[in-house]
Every structure is written in structure tokens, then in C-alpha cells.
Amino acid sequence: KQWYQRRVREGLLHRFTYLLHLYRADRNKWDQLKGFYELVGQMLARSVLNNIPLDLNLPEYVYNYILGGGKKVLADLEKTDKALFNIFNNMTDEEFRSLQCPFLETIINPYNQRTVEVPLKPIYDPEEFVTDKKGFLKLKARKTLYEFPKEELDAMKEGFRKVFPLNFRNFLTPKELGFLVCGQSELNYQDWRECAEHDRSISQTTKSWFWECVRSFTQEDRRALLHFVTGMSTLPFGGFSKLPGAKFKISEKFADVDSCLPTTATCFNTLYLPPYSSEEIMRKKLLIAIRYGSKGFTFG
């Protein structure tokens, strides 16, 4: 799980943020890239099949595209780049015309980091300015969301369908597919505690202090704790009872008590806690471990 999550975050899907800003004329290695994006689609499908959520934040329109849904251009732009949409949408028509916007999109090529101006129309006239605000937003959305990254999106869709050849559009919405891929990010304290297992070696005091720490943690720190112990930052569909591999488990770590940090066995979703001398020390050690020691095999 931990290796899988790390490869997704660091080696693959972090590059998807560039999909909205591609300039096709500079890409000479599409045969290699096509395989990469097919793999992304397959990993999305595998996350659903294996019930192992991915730590992603893909736009909803991507899931809609994979499912073969129709394009809702303005709605997709609003969800993907709400700040940009609101800036233009809140302008009066007169204010928009005064900007004298050309039919150009300024983008950054992710393959060489150069800024490039791409025409939004097949025939571009530098003396022509946009006068229709709504039409401009539709044109911009259609180009940046669908036309520029079309081959990448098609490759992702093809990769997804290789794992799931069925037509999911009949019984899954894009939002539901996104939930199955990304999992549940809101971690409920009561559900967590009820579904956890406690080793016989752990004392009642240590157990009580630990759950008081979890109860007081922010959602961000709870996700960091979950990731530290399981290798996942979100929960699969079904919550804590559906954690892959094993239930969340707390066991005692016999060590030089207050000087040691907690350790984990992510393959077994097990947290090893030293019997600290106070709840405050436990909280301090837990926060150090989950904030600085939850990124794979990089902390000692």
C-alpha cells in the first residue's frame, strides 16, 4: 500500500496538474507519453477494484470524461478554476469589453517550462478582440479542459476501460467515481475507535490517552496519523471497517519510554506505542512522528 501510494503521488499523478496547460506542437514523444497516461487510467481503476483510495485531487470533469459523459463546459470551468470563472463572471459586459481580450490563451509548457500563447480560434487575427464574455468563457473552457489535453484524457479513459470494460455511466456519477478513487477524507473519531483493535499488551491508561489524543487532533493531523499507520491518507468506501489488509491496531512498544517515538507496521495497519509517562508526552511524540515521519522510508 505504502509503495503504491508513494508511486502515485511522486511518480505519476502529480504531473496531471499540467494537463490543463499543454501545448501539443512541442510534444515529440507521444508514443511514450500515451503509455504513461494509460497507466494512470489503469491505476485509477485498480484503486476502485482493490478498494485502496488514492491521495489525489483530480477535477470532476476528468471522471465524467472517463465515464463517457457529456461536456458541461461552463460548469466544468467553474468547478476546475472557480477563481478565474468568478473574475470574468462578475464583470459587466462593458467592463469585459474594455479589457480588449485577444483570442489567445497564455500557458506554460510542462515539457520545457516556456510560456506560450496559443490561439483559441483556428484563424487568429491579432487585431480582433473578444466582445462576448460568455462565449469567451465557453471557448476558453473547451480549449483548455478538453481540446488541449484530448489525447491524454483519451489515453486515461482507454487505460481505465482495460481494467473496467463495463459502461459505468449507467450506475455511477462522476462524483461517485471520484469518491471511490479518492476515498473518504473526513475521519470520524467514533467510527475509528469502534473499528480499532487493541493488543493485550497495551495498558488501559495508554489506550485511553491515545484516543484522547486522536479526539483532540485536527482532521489534517488525523489524516497524517492514518497515513503513518496504514500508508493511506483517506479511507476506502465503507470507512475504517474496510481498511485493506487488517483493522487499525494499537500495540505496545517496549523501549526507553519517553525518549522513543511511536513506530508502525503499515502492512498490518499496526501502531506501536511506548507506555509514555503522560498524555502530553504521548501527544508530542505522536505529532512529531506523524508530521515528520510519514513519508515512506525517509525518517529515522
Side-chain angles (χ1 to χ4, degrees):
K1 291 178 301 180
Q2 196 171 21
W3 176 89
Y4 184 75
Q5 290 282 347
R6 190 171 181 182
R7 292 284 72 75
V8 169
R9 274 197 310 275
E10 298 178 5
L12 292 176
L13 294 176
H14 74 286
R15 292 202 285 173
F16 183 81
T17 54
Y18 292 126
L19 266 181
L20 305 183
H21 308 288
L22 293 174
Y23 186 49
R24 192 164 307 283
D26 286 351
R27 292 183 298 157
N28 300 315
K29 298 182 179 180
W30 173 243
D31 287 342
Q32 298 176 24
L33 290 171
K34 184 174 186 290
F36 162 78
Y37 286 106
E38 282 186 9
L39 177 60
V40 171
Q42 290 178 35
M43 293 185 77
L44 294 178
R46 286 290 176 187
S47 72
V48 177
L49 186 65
N50 298 326
N51 206 22
I52 300 178
L54 303 177
D55 188 11
L56 307 174
N57 187 24
L58 296 181
E60 189 176 306
Y61 88 91
V62 175
Y63 297 116
N64 186 50
Y65 195 96
I66 288 174
L67 290 173
K71 300 174 184 177
K72 301 175 182 179
V73 181
L74 287 181
D76 291 339
L77 179 63
E78 183 178 10
K79 290 178 181 178
T80 305
D81 194 340
K82 194 172 184 65
L84 175 70
F85 179 86
N86 286 339
I87 288 173
F88 283 101
N89 196 50
N90 293 334
M91 287 182 185
T92 65
D93 291 337
E94 186 177 344
E95 288 172 335
F96 177 77
R97 285 192 291 271
S98 70
L99 295 176
Q100 294 188 322
C101 293
F103 285 92
L104 286 175
E105 173 70 7
T106 302
I107 59 177
I108 298 175
N109 185 327
Y111 301 101
N112 56 27
Q113 299 303 310
R114 295 175 184 170
T115 301
V116 183
E117 289 186 333
V118 182
L120 294 176
K121 292 175 61 177
I123 301 176
Y124 169 66
D125 181 357
E127 301 298 323
E128 183 183 8
F129 300 106
V130 186
T131 57
D132 178 11
K133 180 180 66 173
K134 188 174 181 179
F136 172 72
L137 284 175
K138 284 185 176 180
L139 186 61
K140 181 181 179 66
R142 189 175 293 110
K143 287 286 184 180
T144 57
L145 300 185
Y146 290 104
E147 293 186 17
F148 291 161
K150 184 180 187 304
E151 292 184 11
E152 287 82 357
L153 291 170
D154 284 342
M156 288 176 62
K157 182 178 180 179
E158 184 178 341
F160 189 91
R161 292 296 177 90
K162 283 181 178 178
V163 179
F164 280 136
L166 300 176
N167 187 357
F168 276 81
R169 191 157 56 97
N170 294 333
F171 51 90
L172 265 186
T173 67
K175 189 172 184 178
E176 289 169 340
L177 177 57
F179 178 76
L180 289 176
V181 170
C182 299
Q184 175 184 327
S185 60
E186 193 77 12
L187 306 184
N188 181 273
Y189 164 78
Q190 197 61 38
D191 180 42
W192 197 340
R193 184 163 187 171
E194 288 175 358
C195 293
E197 289 186 347
H198 304 85
D199 193 86
R200 292 180 181 179
S201 63
I202 196 166
S203 70
Q204 185 62 38
T205 300
T206 297
K207 182 165 63 174
S208 177
W209 285 347
F210 171 76
W211 288 113
E212 184 57 32
C213 289
V214 174
R215 190 192 63 78
S216 67
F217 282 173
T218 63
Q219 283 293 325
E220 183 179 0
D221 285 334
R222 289 183 187 181
R223 284 190 290 271
L225 173 61
L226 180 67
H227 183 268
F228 181 63
V229 179
T230 69
M232 302 187 302
S233 301
T234 56
L235 291 172
F237 179 72
F240 282 97
S241 64
K242 299 298 182 181
L243 279 176
K247 289 185 176 182
F248 187 95
K249 186 176 181 179
I250 308 163
S251 187
E252 190 163 86
K253 174 183 179 180
F254 298 98
D256 185 10
V257 186
D258 287 346
S259 63
C260 286
L261 293 172
T263 57
T264 65
T266 55
C267 293
F268 305 103
N269 298 337
T270 300
L271 172 67
Y272 295 100
L273 272 177
Y276 294 112
S277 60
S278 72
E279 181 182 327
E280 189 54 41
I281 291 175
M282 180 186 289
R283 179 180 286 102
K284 179 181 177 181
K285 296 295 185 179
L286 275 171
L287 290 174
I288 291 173
I290 67 178
R291 290 175 179 176
Y292 303 105
S294 60
K295 302 301 181 184
F297 310 97
T298 58
F299 183 77

